[in-house]
Amino acid sequence: MIPFWASETSPLDSEATSRPPFLHISSRFVLYCSTVNTVASSSSMRGQTISFQTNRLFSVADAYLPFSPNINTRWRMLLTELSSEDIAVALDLLEKDWEVDPLLKDFMLRKIEKVSDHTVTVGSVTYHMPYLEDEKKYILWTCLWPDCHNCCDRQGRLPLTSDDLIKVGGKLEYKDVSEFIERETITATWQEPSPGGGTVTLTTINLKRKDGETEKDDGTHVSCRFLDKDGGCTLHPDRPGVCQMYPFSAWLENDGGRARVHAAYQFTGDCPGFYMSADAGEMRTEHENYSEMIYDYAMKSSRTTREGYSASSMH
Ligand code: SF4
Ligand code: SF4
């Protein structure tokens, strides 16, 4: 995986669109910017703008791990230790309501070795799908909503892009973005494994998932306050981009000086929508439906970092 450096690649056309400025800067927001800048300046690799934002306590490394030839064995073992217990707990909960294919379960628990990466490019997004070599099957996905809303019931974190701040703030009838940030968000800094090994430190503005949420609640599973009794989102159609993108996570790679958006599944054990098939084309509709949105989100996420509203730095 090649990190995307904003200074080395040409921005894509859709990034050049104009957008509303943030007008009123609250003291909390100044503090936030200071936190972001401290994190960014302490990194030896500042400026790196991979899109790392996921809503499920799940790093891009997790998405990329099952089929990445670049990740060494030690790292693979470490990550397995870090992730498998949580995934196993999530799968146990999932199995109370849904039938989970034992093979899929083994894959998510990293018990299947012979897995290769199958890619398909749709629009501006290159999707990565695991291919189980012995079974000769791809892992595909479709959303089972409204029968399922697990991703909102066991919400992990809601990082906001700068566009989300305006969109969600407006939906909640805030006239002033800084007031929205003050009342409805928390700022969290955390570390997670990076796709190439090592650690990445991230700082993001996150939408509160429950009343009275504090920084201490970051990273815990919470039933989101915007989930209604019918399984819908009361913020829809202005829900955060990271929610729209689930169960995909996206990142940017430098492709000959241009940014290429990649997407892979987040295998957290919470989503019953995964299935296996010998025909990867069965997922064509989902790929087409998600392509523009994933691309758009990756651009917004990258821009959020460049504008100083989030930070990621490698160690
Ligand atoms: S958990 Fe999966 S199947 Fe359920 S609503 Fe979310 S994306 Fe759809
Ligand atoms: S904001 Fe809406 S879509 Fe996102 S987790 Fe909450 S209820 Fe689900």
Side-chain angles (χ1 to χ4, degrees), residues 55-56 149 151-158 168 207-209 222-228 231-236 238-240 242-244:
N55 69 344
R56 304 292 308 134
H149 36 81
C151 45
C152 305
D153 266 331
R154 278 176 50 82
Q155 223 298 316
R157 178 181 293 125
L158 285 173
V168 179
L207 186 61
K208 287 181 183 172
R209 302 157 301 154
V222 166
S223 183
C224 181
R225 63 180 163 137
F226 300 109
L227 180 64
D228 68 22
C233 174
T234 56
L235 294 179
H236 186 77
D238 297 316
R239 60 196 172 130
V242 75
C243 300
Q244 297 175 32

Side-chain angles (χ1 to χ4, degrees), residues 98 141-145 147-152 246-247 270-274 290:
W98 299 88
W141 168 85
T142 192
C143 185
L144 303 177
W145 189 89
D147 295 329
C148 168
H149 36 81
N150 278 9
C151 45
C152 305
Y246 186 80
D270 294 309
C271 177
F274 293 107
Y290 275 72

Side-chain angles (χ1 to χ4, degrees), residues 28 185-189 212-219:
R28 180 186 164 87
T185 72
I186 55 172
T187 302
T189 295
E213 181 170 0
T214 70
E215 279 79 359
K216 283 185 185 158
D217 297 311
D218 178 63

